[in-house]
Amino acid sequence: MKLVVVTAGLTQPSSTRLLGDRLGEAVAQAVAGRAEAAEVETVELRDLAVDIANAFVTGFPNGRLRAAIETVTAADALIAVTPIFSGSYSGLFKSFFDVIDNTALTGKPVLIAATGGTARHSLALEHALRPLFAYLRAVVAPTAVYAASEDWGGGRDAFTDGLGERIERAAEELAALLLHRVPRRAEPEAVVPFEQQLAALRPGDPG
């Protein structure tokens, strides 16, 4: 099954991309803990900024943007991560989802996450991101993950226990939604040879 991380970080390196990577790893581990496997792919919107702007002007996505859209819409589940600007998601993040058909994510499990300089902006997940994906008819995991600057307590490669717990809880929730949505492959039925079926229908030996 395919898990796609959409990240709208603008800098490089980006704490938004880092959070997306950590969430992707955690969900893959949660899926593996249920004896399944998930392939994780990342769509970095920073590389598509010009393509997204052109799509608004022309009305059509070019080949590279179309490929990114197809990757997202074909995914079994999404992790959507944005930096918070002025108390809401970034313009780049919103613009990408604006060029996707508003029915393309119907029923798709989504984990929402965001990064910001202060914990005061964490409510943007509830008053901005969650309504956006509700409008797109996605199924949003109950736990949203916000990472403020102070959450990266050990530097860019580590995080505080509180953030780690939120990542694990959200990952378990998305894994449960993902596995509930993707049907397990049925075991193939045993094929009984035709001669054996005929033999079963013959009357027994009267001896």
Side-chain angles (χ1 to χ4, degrees):
M1 56 192 74
K2 175 64 73 68
L3 172 66
V4 173
V5 180
V6 178
T7 173
L10 298 179
T11 60
Q12 201 170 23
S14 162
S15 59
T16 304
R17 170 63 189 267
L18 183 59
L19 179 58
D21 290 344
R22 294 294 181 270
L23 287 167
E25 292 167 3
V27 175
Q29 290 174 3
V31 170
R34 292 167 166 81
E36 297 287 350
E39 176 187 351
V40 181
E41 183 174 349
T42 300
V43 173
E44 192 150 16
L45 300 185
R46 177 178 180 272
D47 299 332
L48 298 168
V50 174
D51 304 296
I52 293 170
N54 286 337
F56 277 100
V57 174
T58 64
F60 300 97
N62 63 17
R64 188 166 69 156
L65 178 56
R66 189 181 307 112
I69 292 171
E70 290 173 355
T71 296
V72 168
T73 56
D76 294 304
L78 296 178
I79 297 172
V81 194
T82 178
I84 298 300
F85 295 130
S86 302
S88 187
Y89 38 60
S90 72
L92 178 61
F93 181 86
K94 178 62 162 55
S95 295
F96 175 73
F97 287 100
D98 280 345
V99 299
I100 295 178
D101 185 272
N102 64 2
T103 63
L105 302 184
T106 300
K108 194 178 298 297
V110 177
L111 191 166
I112 55 174
T115 58
T118 171
R120 291 178 300 183
H121 294 308
S122 61
L123 286 178
L125 285 163
E126 302 303 327
H127 68 65
L129 270 79
R130 197 176 294 276
L132 170 64
F133 287 99
Y135 169 75
L136 295 173
R137 303 179 181 88
V139 179
V140 185
T143 299
V145 179
Y146 182 84
S149 296
E150 60 265 27
D151 284 316
W152 304 104
R156 301 188 75 87
D157 294 325
F159 41 77
T160 62
D161 290 342
L163 177 56
E165 291 170 2
R166 294 195 297 275
I167 289 173
E168 289 182 10
R169 183 167 64 249
E172 290 290 341
E173 292 171 356
L174 187 66
L177 289 172
L178 173 59
L179 294 175
H180 176 75
R181 180 174 186 263
V182 178
R184 295 176 181 271
R185 292 183 179 179
E187 292 294 330
E189 295 183 6
V191 177
V192 179
F194 184 65
E195 295 81 2
Q196 187 175 337
Q197 295 181 47
L198 280 178
L201 296 175
R202 292 173 185 149
D205 190 345

